[in-house]
Amino acid sequence: FTPFTIKDIKAQGLQRLEIGTVLTYLPLAVGDQLNEQTSRAAMRALYGSGLFDDVRLERDGDTLMIVVKERPAISGFKIEGNDKIGGDELKKSLADAGMAEGELFKRDLLSEVQQELQRQYFANGYYDVQIDTEVKQEPNNRVNIEIQVTEGKATKIKEINIVGNQAFSKDELLKAFQLKKTNWMPFQKTDKYSKQQLGGDLEALSSYYQDRGYLKANISSVQVQLSPDKRDLYITANIEEGQVYTIKSNRISGDTILQTDFLERLLSTKSGEIFSRKLATESADRIEAALSDIGYAFAEVTPLPEVDEEKREVALNYVVRPGKRTYVRRINFAGHGDTHDETLRREMRQLEAAPFSKSAVERSRVRLTRLPFVEEAEVDTQPVPGTDDLVDVSFKVKERAPGSVQFGVGYSGSAGFLVSGSLTHTNFLGTGNRVSFEVNNSQISRVFNVSWTDPYFTNDGISQTASVFYRKSESVIRYSSGFNSNIVGFNLTYGIPLSEYTSLRAGFGIEETSLEAYSSGTSDEVLQFMRDNGSRFSTYQFRTGIARDTRNKTFFATRGSLNQFFVDASLPGSDLGFYSATYRSELYVPLPFKFIFSANTNIGMVDDYGGGPSEVPPYEYLFAGGPRTVRGYNDGRLGPRDSLGFALGGQLRTTMQNELIIPLPIESDQKSTRMSLFYDIGQVYLRPSDFDVNELRTAAGVGFQWFTPFLGLLQMSYAFPLNDKPGDNTRGFQITFGSGF
Amino acid sequence: CSDKKKVREPTPLADISNPAVRPHTVWTASTGGSGKYYSELRAGVEIDAIYTAGLDGRVAAYSLDKGKRLWSVNTKSRVAAGPSVSNDLVLVGTLDAEVIALKRTDGSEVWRAKLSSEALGPPVGEGGIVVARSIDGRVFGLDASNGQRLWNFDRSVPELVLRGISKPLISGTSVIVGMENGRAIALGLTDGEPRWEQAISVPAGRTVLDRLVDIDGDMIEGDDCLYVASFGGEVVCLSPTSGEVGWRRGVKSYNSLALGGGKVLVSDESGVVWALDQTSGAAAWKQEGLLYRRLSPPAYFGGYVVVGDFEGYLHWLDPSDGKIVARTRVGSDPIITQPMVGGDLLYVLNRDGKLAAISLPQKK
Amino acid sequence: CSNEKKKGPAFDTSEKSEAQLKAEAAALYRLARKDLDSSQWQSAIAYYEDLSKRYPFTEIATQGEIERIYALYRNSDSDRALSAADKFMREHPRNGHIDYVLYLKGLTEFYRDPSFSSMLGVQSYLGDVSADSRAFDNFSMLIQRFPDSRYRSDARERMVYLRNKIALHEVGVVRFYVKRGAYIAAAKRAEQVIAQYPGAPATFEALELMESAYRRAGLNEQADDAARLLAGQPNPGAAVLDLGGTEKAPWWKRLLGGSDNADVPDSTAVPPPEGTTPAAADPAAPQP
Amino acid sequence: CQILYRLPTRQGNVIDQRDLNKLQIGMTREQVKFVMGTPVAANPFRDERWDYFGYYKSPRGQSTSRTVSLYFADNKLSRMEGVQQASTEDLSAPDMQAIQTDFKKEANDSRTAAPPVDRQTPIPGGTP
């Protein structure tokens, strides 16, 4: 047709779409010239919009008439029979591809969906599947789509055979495989064939050989064979082992930045030993890590083997390419809500406008996870666009409920119904300061304690904790023997970092105590003590100690250890001269299959400075038994009895909790929940000299911890005392909310 | 309660009122077999004895008439192919990539040859040459006297193939090999040089499964035609000397073929038994009563077409119209290899290694 | 196990005339709008979703989609509101209310998660400001693309507030780095504040901190340059900086992280425009 | 030096004497940037000069710093200040030694606690 200038544009056949939408896709406008070439462009654009099944351009005088046939809308979409593949994510991916109710129906999309579904079935090892689709026309240009899937039996791996293996047995090699042949296990998943997994397994097989000296081992061919009834798969890998090679020498070449002798100490491939690709790659990684710690984030180290065929020796040449030294431009935080930016930034071991150090960034991330109000922290390093040596580091933080209402519910014969409540907020107003307000009230004792800790009293992390407490207990302290005591005290302690992981504790405390005794209700031991030392004392204590904490998280740590050795000694001028020393350690050792072994040891000793009657006040005695010391025994009831038969406590407490932490297949595992089998052992002795191994009480059982949103850490345990003696007061099920940390 | 359609349900068997013939089992023996595993084990029926092998490594010989065991030896390796007999050697292939040759008379081991992968192809031998095949697509020519490699021929194998290799067929001075890529090739028996190559079926389709075209069953030579069946969907008659195609018929089968009554007998992939005219390939009849019963290759014996299924039944069909005329049972394990005719007995071997000799009473 | 056919929504698939179809859609829309106006966000959202599913791509369904975004925002269902808004802008690039959708996106980010300190009436700038910068970007896109939109003035006012808040946050970081002894980091951050947030009152303090950072690092030339800028004389070759206000918040307010910034704009957003939709109009009326 | 462990502070570029010796008058900005890297502490108000400033304060409190200013006349390197070693004791060296000793100490600290970032062993030559 002859080209003409467009005076007006109209559309025909529009049912639902607005004329405006059509115009947005039309490259023509009123006044343009319509000729061969622009009309073809218009057609392509309109089809490209995906909105129309058919488009025609017609001329009506000088108006351009666009005749369209809208694509039908999908009014119903159903997929059935797809048990093995699909569920929600399949529906979502289909919806994103435009195959959902309310979307426009594109015919080629349906065959694409069918192909994709079949490919996914094959990828998951279902070779015997039938997929048929049905499109029903509906009035008002709408369609109803049904996809019917008939799944046959899953094709399972019947046999994996390895040919050509002399050095190692077939069973040993097959251990390196993820794919396994069908065995008796009912819900076995590893016998499903997947091409990528087979590729990974073959890689594992060849590196198994290369890690044991067979430098030239390679897999000559692999066959995947299907039984005629499409039920069984046979996989055969043919391997040529080649010879064993030993390492002749190690050399580091290229621009090493750091002195080569320093780097050589990082190598674990020693000359004379058998060649191992794993050790070579590990050594290369270590050099890369060293370089990236002084700013070369993109360093590359490649171990090149120079092979001497007849002597079958390898000279390893580590070629170092440092790449550009990188600097950090900005460090950003996200997800920390109210917490002040400074509370997170002061934990950073990497600074801005400074050389990038990978280990410093990683340690910064670990320090964030150790904040009590942070559950999880992830870090992402992105190059700054337009530069080749600047990066931005962004930390994404997932917060845990910082505040925790902590209360313990317990009932014990003597102390009556024990309620202890406390409000602890580990991130007060986002400043990272820890405020705790504790009230402990029961028939027999009333405790009131306020403490305030500022972890960054100075920039370099000297922490300051101040706390005031008042402790009044009628007739007996929880378990021991019949006397009242009123104690008012104040203490101030500082934590001084000596290195990244160790810190010194220094501080002092003042206590005013008054005791009351009853002629009938108080045990002889207490009466004896009051005869020796009177009933009112004031003591001034120097509190010191050292702590080293390398755990990767305060709660639910999975690696590292905490060792604390604290000593509180009374100073001259106090009425009572005694000291208390406690050693507390938590050790976490990761085991294979995500199990973790953890051992919490707690050894405490209280003694006076010797000479003369004992000046260790009864309320300072240590107790054991209960959830935090030896589970399976009632709260504080281990150890010697006083003259009235109540637990007296003692001056030496040795307890140890060994736990095997079991991985749970739930999402919150090791984040806010933890399950473990435990074996506790411990005892309290009156005098340190009374220590006797076979007096130690043991118990075993199962424990469960859950960091609740509001009640802090909830700990439940059910224990079976193993060697309880008559008169021990045992208790199977124990529960506490919240725990000191 | 799930009404999900099951894929490929085996058709249940109707009972036969008056069977036209009552086959009678003369003797049975248990020969090792391959348990649940697919194998290319067969009964090697010869004029002097019948030779069998099992995955447990046992190779044995039985007398034809009474099934008395003449000798039995343990090769201590997983035999999965054969045995086949050539001159005075009994040849088997193992999953540990070896071909073993034993003496025919007493089963003592003569030699062992190492191949590049599992020797799943039943070895054949003629005129001092033994031809063996491994699953990585290689064909080996070995010296029958000591097992030394004389020549080897290599052709790449598609990504996914059917388990099982077709038995090479020696015709004249060449050996014809049906390969996994759907092509048949003739190699010189003495030098392994390719003489002609013919495509039986060409892979088509998008997924790896649609592109399966293996030639798995054994080929069979008629008077002027070599018959080859492929899983790609064709049975083809081609000239053994030039490879030219006589006729093609669209039947998909991984089973060996058989000749009988002027017809080519095929049991196809979905359990239909076909009889094709030898010269024209036209389908004389097809029996669909055994759909999806995973049939064994057919055999022609005593004027009847015999085929086994996955429940150990042996079905006897009338060769003129394919009607099922009788049914017997040989144990309850699947029959996957071709029943072998020897004299007036039919030898049937099932996957569990049970060997039965069956005879037909003279029709009244 | 349940294998009866899953019944789809009650569809009467009988052939219906265009007008009848429109009448049904309008009736459903009015139901939704009634709930919207009486702040029944949940049920309003459900109606709107039903509307766009059963009468897709109709004029009224499009309007319904806008009002659904507003309902999600008021229901403080931020993530769903934002993704609904993005989907709307993708599918209806030339719709008349795109400016309103952009405005809603800005508001959703603005009131993303009410912080504890904001309950005390103190808009703390010390916490996470990433949502605020996203809000700032949405509002600025609104102003650039729709200079004459009716929401321009409110958006502008919120942008000023956000800019000051983000600038104060950045200056807080500069203060930390000076305290920590990382003087170059402090100077660089201060420089970014001045470059990205001209006119924010915090730029003045940023310049002060930059000068002391350079001084302590021993880079006196840079420190003198900063001092000159502070005193208002332009630097050779550098434009005069728009330092905005010089006043600083009283110490107790800064302690809580507040600032005597312009107080927080009114939080009740403007409901969706009613006039332009055919809702009130008689459903059978011809389309505009 | 006090026993208190203060966090090490590193600021600005790490200046390496070997790089400085490669600089010649007349180089373009890109060439200088290729040799020295981006000037992290460049002065925002003065376009015509680039300051490479290196500063390091060790955990025990000793601090070393060095400034190299490069002037450009119509985008060509025209003048260099502080390029030669200021004094006999190699100013740039402490920076490297300090970092190395510091690195070794950190390495065995972190080795006991958490092994260096654990990663799958990449195929040789793979970037971290």
Side-chain angles (χ1 to χ4, degrees):
Chain A
F1 53 86
T2 57
F4 69 102
T5 52
I6 304 169
K7 287 274 179 309
D8 181 12
I9 299 178
K10 281 207 180 52
Q12 220 188 5
L14 280 184
Q15 278 177 326
R16 271 185 302 286
L17 295 180
E18 305 139 14
I19 178 80
T21 320
V22 177
L23 291 179
T24 52
Y25 289 103
L26 191 64
L28 296 169
V30 169
D32 286 359
Q33 247 268 343
L34 183 75
N35 53 38
E36 191 59 40
Q37 182 245 359
T38 54
S39 75
R40 207 176 314 108
M43 295 280 276
R44 215 179 313 110
L46 287 175
Y47 269 116
S49 71
L51 297 172
F52 310 108
D53 261 345
D54 176 28
V55 174
R56 272 199 331 282
L57 300 183
E58 276 163 12
R59 180 177 177 191
D60 174 1
D62 282 346
T63 50
L64 168 64
M65 180 60 74
I66 308 172
V67 179
V68 286
K69 182 171 174 307
E70 275 177 26
R71 279 211 162 118
I74 302 173
S75 60
F77 168 72
K78 212 174 23 259
I79 181 164
E80 262 187 0
N82 56 333
D83 308 340
K84 302 289 190 311
I85 304 272
D88 300 342
E89 354 74 59
L90 177 69
K91 280 210 172 53
K92 193 179 168 311
S93 66
L94 288 180
D96 294 351
M99 178 62 78
E101 280 154 3
E103 295 289 340
L104 284 183
F105 169 62
K106 303 185 186 74
R107 206 156 299 285
D108 52 3
L109 181 65
L110 188 59
S111 59
E112 240 172 73
V113 165
Q114 193 174 351
Q115 285 301 338
E116 177 55 23
L117 210 53
Q118 196 165 27
R119 201 191 53 71
Q120 275 193 14
Y121 269 103
F122 287 164
N124 285 298
Y126 284 87
Y127 286 99
D128 214 353
V129 71
Q130 242 171 326
I131 301 171
D132 20 38
T133 58
E134 189 198 334
V135 180
K136 282 211 296 301
Q137 283 301 344
E138 297 233 342
N140 300 98
N141 196 359
R142 288 186 303 188
V143 280
N144 199 319
I145 300 173
E146 245 182 59
I147 298 182
Q148 182 61 36
V149 176
T150 349
E151 285 159 356
K153 268 213 169 39
T155 316
K156 292 271 183 1
I157 297 176
K158 190 75 172 175
E159 168 77 14
I160 303 180
N161 190 13
I162 298 182
V163 172
N165 55 325
Q166 269 103 16
F168 307 100
S169 78
K170 187 174 104 166
D171 297 342
E172 195 183 329
L173 292 175
L174 283 184
K175 279 206 206 82
F177 276 57
Q178 301 278 345
L179 293 177
K180 297 275 187 287
K181 62 180 181 182
T182 316
N183 52 30
W184 49 269
M185 287 226 287
F187 297 109
Q188 183 187 9
K189 288 235 178 343
T190 55
D191 62 354
K192 279 234 179 66
Y193 169 72
S194 109
K195 193 156 175 284
Q196 300 80 3
Q197 191 53 61
L198 179 60
D201 287 352
L202 296 177
E203 176 59 31
L205 180 63
S206 63
S207 57
Y208 184 89
Y209 270 93
Q210 286 173 357
D211 293 349
R212 286 163 182 75
Y214 293 85
L215 176 66
K216 287 278 189 331
N218 82 17
I219 296 170
S220 52
S221 71
V222 64
Q223 285 82 34
V224 178
Q225 302 180 333
L226 181 66
S227 70
D229 61 10
K230 294 188 185 162
R231 286 264 169 73
D232 304 326
L233 267 174
Y234 296 80
I235 299 176
T236 314
N238 314 306
I239 189 150
E240 281 153 8
E241 292 178 340
Q243 304 300 332
V244 178
Y245 287 77
T246 54
I247 298 173
K248 182 163 71 185
S249 64
N250 286 308
R251 194 161 56 87
I252 298 182
S253 62
D255 181 353
T256 61
I257 310 288
L258 296 170
Q259 285 100 348
T260 41
D261 59 11
F262 167 74
L263 292 180
E264 245 134 37
R265 259 192 270 104
L266 298 177
L267 298 183
S268 43
T269 50
K270 298 285 177 287
S271 47
E273 278 172 13
I274 295 183
F275 166 78
S276 151
R277 188 173 74 142
K278 185 146 83 65
L279 294 183
T281 357
E282 268 166 20
S283 314
D285 289 349
R286 266 199 288 280
I287 301 178
E288 273 171 17
L291 286 174
S292 76
D293 277 344
I294 51 165
Y296 291 89
F298 308 114
E300 269 178 25
V301 177
T302 343
L304 294 181
E306 286 138 13
V307 180
D308 169 346
E309 281 307 339
E310 330 84 59
K311 288 212 235 37
R312 286 207 293 285
E313 279 175 344
V314 180
L316 278 175
N317 169 16
Y318 291 88
V319 177
V320 177
R321 282 191 302 280
K324 271 281 195 195
R325 178 190 289 282
T326 331
Y327 296 95
V328 169
R329 183 182 64 138
R330 270 178 79 95
I331 296 178
N332 307 312
F333 295 104
H336 52 296
D338 269 350
T339 311
H340 292 180
D341 177 282
E342 182 177 341
T343 314
L344 301 179
R345 204 170 287 278
R346 64 187 180 193
E347 299 293 338
M348 287 298 117
R349 291 304 175 252
Q350 167 72 50
L351 288 174
E352 288 182 356
F356 169 85
S357 148
K358 188 190 287 294
S359 69
V361 167
E362 177 51 25
R363 247 195 351 279
S364 308
R365 190 191 66 76
V366 169
R367 285 191 70 88
L368 287 182
T369 50
R370 276 173 44 171
L371 292 173
F373 45 87
V374 166
E375 185 170 290
E376 215 183 337
E378 284 150 18
V379 65
D380 174 25
T381 310
Q382 292 299 339
V384 171
T387 68
D388 61 356
D389 61 356
L390 285 182
V391 285
D392 280 352
V393 179
S394 346
F395 288 90
K396 183 103 186 40
V397 169
K398 182 163 179 291
E399 283 198 313
R400 172 182 277 139
S404 87
V405 173
Q406 165 195 15
F407 68 90
V409 175
Y411 180 80
S412 67
S414 55
F417 196 66
L418 171 80
V419 170
S420 78
S422 100
L423 168 70
T424 317
H425 197 297
T426 57
N427 184 6
F428 185 64
L429 282 182
T431 59
N433 298 339
R434 179 179 177 283
V435 170
S436 121
F437 169 80
E438 187 192 344
V439 169
N440 191 323
N441 185 3
S442 73
Q443 278 162 352
I444 49 103
S445 76
R446 200 163 295 109
V447 173
F448 170 80
N449 179 353
V450 175
S451 89
W452 162 279
T453 312
D454 175 2
Y456 276 81
F457 182 61
T458 70
N459 286 344
D460 299 306
I462 296 180
S463 72
Q464 178 200 38
T465 313
S467 74
V468 179
F469 62 90
Y470 163 72
R471 220 182 295 130
K472 179 180 186 319
S473 60
E474 259 80 25
S475 74
V476 68
I477 299 264
R478 261 191 292 186
Y479 328 99
S480 73
S481 35
F483 58 89
N484 289 2
S485 69
N486 285 354
I487 309 169
V488 177
F490 161 78
N491 54 46
L492 191 65
T493 1
Y494 290 91
I496 303 146
L498 299 179
S499 84
E500 181 58 33
Y501 299 97
T502 19
S503 66
L504 185 74
R505 169 177 178 261
F508 69 91
I510 309 169
E511 274 180 21
E512 279 298 322
T513 325
S514 73
L515 292 181
E516 278 166 292
Y518 304 91
S519 54
S520 62
T522 310
S523 70
D524 308 341
E525 291 80 1
V526 174
L527 294 175
Q528 175 60 34
F529 173 82
M530 289 176 76
R531 269 197 294 282
D532 299 340
N533 303 296
S535 65
R536 295 186 62 79
F537 336 93
S538 52
T539 50
Y540 312 97
Q541 267 186 345
F542 173 63
R543 305 152 69 86
T544 180
I546 190 156
R548 178 179 168 76
D549 183 356
T550 60
R551 296 170 302 172
N552 60 1
K553 278 197 261 186
T554 27
F555 284 105
F556 304 124
T558 55
R559 189 189 309 121
S561 64
L562 164 73
N563 297 301
Q564 274 172 345
F565 177 67
F566 288 162
V567 173
D568 299 350
S570 59
L571 295 167
S574 335
D575 298 339
L576 292 174
F578 68 95
Y579 66 89
S580 93
T582 50
Y583 168 70
R584 174 165 165 264
S585 106
E586 279 177 37
L587 173 68
Y588 296 92
V589 178
L591 301 174
F593 304 112
K594 290 207 179 65
F595 281 82
I596 301 167
F597 169 73
S598 104
N600 298 353
T601 331
N602 194 319
I603 300 168
M605 195 173 87
V606 176
D607 209 341
D608 55 18
Y609 293 132
S614 153
E615 292 181 24
V616 176
Y619 54 79
E620 288 290 343
Y621 276 178
L622 300 167
F623 295 91
R628 267 192 284 295
T629 47
V630 185
R631 282 166 282 203
Y633 294 86
N634 211 328
D635 230 354
R637 308 305 273 278
L638 283 177
R641 292 287 182 265
D642 62 18
S643 58
L644 305 174
F646 295 114
L648 175 60
Q651 288 185 243
L652 173 67
R653 167 176 64 189
T654 55
T655 65
M656 188 170 186
Q657 293 186 332
N658 307 300
E659 288 195 349
L660 176 66
I661 295 161
I662 307 156
L664 296 177
I666 47 174
E667 201 274 334
S668 62
D669 191 30
Q670 310 309 347
K671 290 204 191 67
S672 54
T673 56
R674 174 169 277 187
M675 172 100 153
S676 61
L677 301 176
F678 61 82
Y679 171 78
D680 292 356
I681 179 169
Q683 182 49 284
V684 160
Y685 302 93
L686 188 58
R687 294 286 175 271
S689 50
D690 306 348
F691 180 75
D692 172 357
V693 173
N694 33 37
E695 275 300 313
L696 284 172
R697 292 297 188 276
T698 59
V702 59
F704 183 72
Q705 295 175 2
W706 171 35
F707 197 95
T708 58
F710 297 105
L711 306 176
L713 192 61
L714 175 137
Q715 280 173 305
M716 287 188 288
S717 59
Y718 193 86
F720 306 96
L722 301 179
N723 60 355
D724 55 324
K725 305 254 180 346
D728 280 355
N729 188 311
T730 62
R731 166 189 289 280
F733 177 71
Q734 284 165 324
I735 179 170
T736 54
F737 292 79
S739 75
F741 42 74
Chain B
C1 68
S2 80
D3 66 351
K4 275 200 313 214
K5 295 215 304 303
K6 271 270 173 290
V7 179
R8 275 197 262 274
E9 271 303 302
T11 20
L13 296 177
D15 43 23
I16 302 168
S17 48
N18 48 11
V21 67
R22 278 189 181 58
H24 150 62
T25 311
V26 178
W27 54 266
T28 64
S30 116
T31 68
S34 67
K36 291 272 181 302
Y37 288 92
Y38 179 90
S39 75
E40 292 284 348
L41 293 174
R42 300 145 193 273
V45 174
E46 296 301 326
I47 38 159
D48 57 344
I50 179 166
Y51 299 87
T52 67
L55 206 57
D56 53 11
R58 235 162 31 87
V59 180
Y62 296 85
S63 72
L64 284 169
D65 45 9
K66 295 216 193 35
K68 193 164 67 54
R69 193 162 62 189
L70 306 175
W71 52 260
S72 158
V73 77
N74 189 337
T75 58
K76 291 195 200 54
S77 66
R78 300 182 300 168
V79 175
S84 59
V85 178
S86 138
N87 311 1
D88 60 354
L89 288 181
V90 176
L91 301 159
V92 283
T94 75
L95 288 183
D96 309 327
E98 283 174 329
V99 172
I100 307 174
L102 308 171
K103 245 209 22 274
R104 181 173 190 160
T105 49
D106 61 1
S108 57
E109 187 169 314
V110 180
W111 46 262
R112 258 178 210 240
K114 198 88 170 85
L115 304 188
S116 60
S117 183
E118 288 175 344
L120 201 54
V124 288
E126 183 88 17
I129 308 273
V130 168
V131 177
R133 293 187 57 191
S134 60
I135 60 169
D136 55 359
R138 280 223 172 84
V139 185
F140 297 88
L142 310 173
D143 181 332
S145 57
N146 51 30
Q148 292 309 324
R149 263 191 216 176
L150 301 175
W151 50 264
N152 84 63
F153 171 80
D154 185 0
R155 192 54 69 89
S156 70
V157 174
E159 184 194 336
L160 180 71
V161 289
L162 284 185
R163 179 78 169 167
I165 299 185
S166 96
K167 186 170 164 184
L169 185 124
I170 296 177
S171 153
T173 63
S174 53
V175 58
I176 299 164
V177 176
M179 295 185 284
E180 278 73 22
N181 52 19
R183 306 167 72 85
I185 189 164
L187 306 172
L189 189 54
T190 52
D191 55 12
E193 288 307 316
R195 294 195 171 147
W196 52 260
E197 184 168 350
Q198 181 58 259
I200 304 300
S201 43
V202 175
R206 287 162 65 96
T207 63
V208 168
L209 204 64
D210 308 341
R211 301 173 65 81
L212 283 174
V213 280
D214 295 41
I215 299 175
D216 250 18
D218 298 352
M219 297 169 273
I220 194 155
E221 197 165 1
D223 15 31
D224 54 6
C225 235
L226 172 68
Y227 299 101
V228 188
S230 103
F231 190 69
E234 259 116 344
V235 172
V236 167
C237 142
L238 46 88
S239 125
T241 50
S242 70
E244 267 165 61
V245 172
W247 47 261
R248 280 179 181 277
R249 194 79 180 81
V251 174
K252 195 172 182 186
S253 165
Y254 50 79
N255 274 327
S256 309
L257 303 173
L259 295 182
K263 297 191 188 58
V264 182
L265 305 169
V266 189
S267 54
D268 79 2
E269 177 248 352
S270 46
V272 175
V273 184
W274 298 76
L276 311 174
D277 177 73
Q278 279 193 2
T279 47
S280 70
W285 48 263
K286 62 176 182 178
Q287 171 54 259
E288 290 173 316
L290 304 167
L291 208 56
Y292 298 131
R293 292 192 65 79
R294 298 210 289 281
L295 298 180
S296 79
Y300 188 73
F301 170 66
Y304 290 93
V305 175
V306 186
V307 69
D309 71 9
F310 75 109
E311 278 173 341
Y313 286 100
L314 214 52
H315 305 276
W316 299 70
L317 280 64
D318 180 331
S320 57
D321 55 8
K323 288 264 167 314
I324 303 177
V325 290
R327 179 185 315 120
T328 57
R329 195 161 193 193
V330 174
S332 60
D333 282 283
I335 301 171
I336 54 169
T337 54
Q338 190 167 37
M340 305 301 282
V341 176
D344 55 3
L345 287 180
L346 177 69
Y347 297 95
V348 178
L349 176 70
N350 74 12
R351 200 172 57 178
D352 199 32
K354 187 161 190 270
L355 178 62
I358 298 171
S359 73
L360 279 184
Q362 289 324 328
K363 271 208 270 327
K364 285 188 271 323
Chain C
C1 64
S2 69
N3 57 14
E4 96 290 346
K5 270 212 163 300
K6 277 206 289 291
K7 238 167 35 24
F11 263 105
D12 49 1
T13 57
S14 58
E15 184 65 39
K16 282 209 286 308
S17 72
E18 277 311 314
Q20 205 185 353
L21 204 62
K22 287 230 167 355
E24 268 177 31
L28 187 58
Y29 170 79
R30 269 200 298 285
L31 271 175
R33 186 65 199 216
K34 192 165 59 56
D35 278 353
L36 188 75
D37 296 341
S38 55
S39 311
Q40 308 289 341
W41 313 123
Q42 294 288 28
S43 59
I45 294 171
Y47 276 126
Y48 285 126
E49 273 160 12
D50 204 18
L51 179 66
S52 63
K53 192 172 286 179
R54 293 168 65 174
Y55 311 96
F57 289 94
T58 53
E59 187 91 14
I60 205 138
T62 316
Q63 172 65 27
E65 268 176 51
I66 301 176
E67 293 173 14
R68 173 169 168 271
I69 301 170
Y70 172 73
L72 285 169
Y73 152 64
R74 286 304 300 272
N75 199 22
S76 62
D77 196 337
S78 320
D79 295 329
R80 276 175 67 199
L82 289 170
S83 63
D86 292 338
K87 183 166 183 290
F88 183 84
M89 289 205 287
R90 250 198 336 271
E91 284 178 354
H92 306 276
R94 295 272 286 268
N95 180 290
H97 298 302
I98 289 289
D99 60 340
Y100 177 67
V101 172
L102 263 174
Y103 179 62
L104 277 183
K105 269 184 77 175
L107 289 178
T108 318
E109 293 286 3
F110 193 90
Y111 295 103
R112 191 159 180 86
D113 32 33
S115 59
F116 170 70
S117 59
S118 69
M119 286 168 203
L120 301 177
V122 174
Q123 247 317 346
S124 158
Y125 60 87
L126 292 171
D128 186 353
V129 289
S130 48
D132 298 307
S133 55
R134 283 196 302 270
F136 185 85
D137 298 342
N138 287 334
F139 286 134
S140 59
M141 199 198 302
L142 167 62
I143 289 181
Q144 270 149 22
R145 280 178 57 187
F146 304 92
D148 45 27
S149 149
R150 71 151 78 104
Y151 310 104
R152 178 186 154 72
S153 60
D154 181 64
R156 184 112 192 73
E157 190 192 321
R158 289 179 192 277
M159 279 174 70
V160 167
Y161 166 79
L162 286 171
R163 181 199 59 187
N164 296 349
K165 178 178 179 186
I166 296 171
L168 272 172
H169 173 83
E170 290 292 311
V171 164
V173 175
V174 174
R175 232 181 273 120
F176 166 74
Y177 275 130
V178 171
K179 198 166 66 174
R180 170 71 170 68
Y183 303 119
I184 305 300
K188 276 295 164 192
R189 273 264 179 166
E191 181 193 311
Q192 278 158 21
V193 169
I194 297 166
Q196 278 161 13
Y197 308 106
T203 43
F204 184 82
E205 191 182 353
L207 204 51
E208 272 180 345
L209 288 168
M210 176 193 280
E211 193 227 341
S212 70
Y214 275 132
R215 194 74 68 201
R216 293 197 205 173
L219 297 167
N220 295 325
E221 268 169 44
Q222 281 89 336
D224 301 343
D225 290 346
R228 258 199 306 282
L229 275 172
L230 259 176
Q233 306 114 352
N235 236 325
V240 176
L241 291 175
D242 165 3
L243 294 184
T246 56
E247 76 298 329
K248 277 188 278 181
W251 67 271
W252 58 269
K253 215 169 187 185
R254 283 164 59 156
L255 180 68
L256 289 176
S259 72
D260 65 352
N261 216 315
D263 50 22
V264 183
D266 138 43
S267 72
T268 49
V270 173
E274 179 129 13
T276 52
T277 59
D282 160 20
Q287 295 315 88
Chain D
C1 79
Q2 344 85 311
I3 54 131
L4 170 63
Y5 170 78
R6 285 182 175 284
L7 293 174
T9 314
R10 260 183 233 121
Q11 285 288 276
N13 297 62
V14 176
I15 301 168
D16 199 337
Q17 192 54 42
R18 284 172 296 185
D19 294 340
L20 288 178
N21 303 342
K22 293 185 196 132
L23 291 179
Q24 293 121 18
I25 302 293
M27 272 180 160
T28 66
R29 283 187 191 256
E30 285 66 30
Q31 284 167 324
V32 170
K33 195 155 186 240
F34 179 74
V35 169
M36 294 292 293
T38 315
V40 170
N43 179 342
F45 309 111
R46 304 212 174 205
D47 249 356
E48 80 300 352
R49 63 183 276 191
W50 276 355
D51 295 308
Y52 285 90
F53 173 77
Y55 168 83
Y56 176 69
K57 182 155 79 61
S58 80
R60 297 300 173 252
Q62 320 102 339
S63 72
T64 60
S65 82
R66 179 173 184 181
T67 318
V68 171
S69 308
L70 307 174
Y71 295 85
F72 293 87
D74 56 55
N75 273 343
K76 288 264 185 309
L77 184 58
S78 58
R79 189 161 57 86
M80 295 194 279
E81 264 172 21
V83 173
Q84 302 71 19
Q85 274 115 350
S87 60
T88 51
E89 162 253 310
D90 181 350
L91 246 177
S92 79
D95 206 348
M96 297 304 289
Q97 255 85 25
I99 291 178
Q100 274 180 25
T101 45
D102 189 55
F103 163 72
K104 271 190 234 92
K105 192 171 160 335
E106 265 169 35
N108 51 40
D109 264 0
S110 62
R111 187 153 298 132
T112 49
V117 173
D118 43 20
R119 267 187 312 237
Q120 316 87 353
T121 45
I123 300 158
T127 52

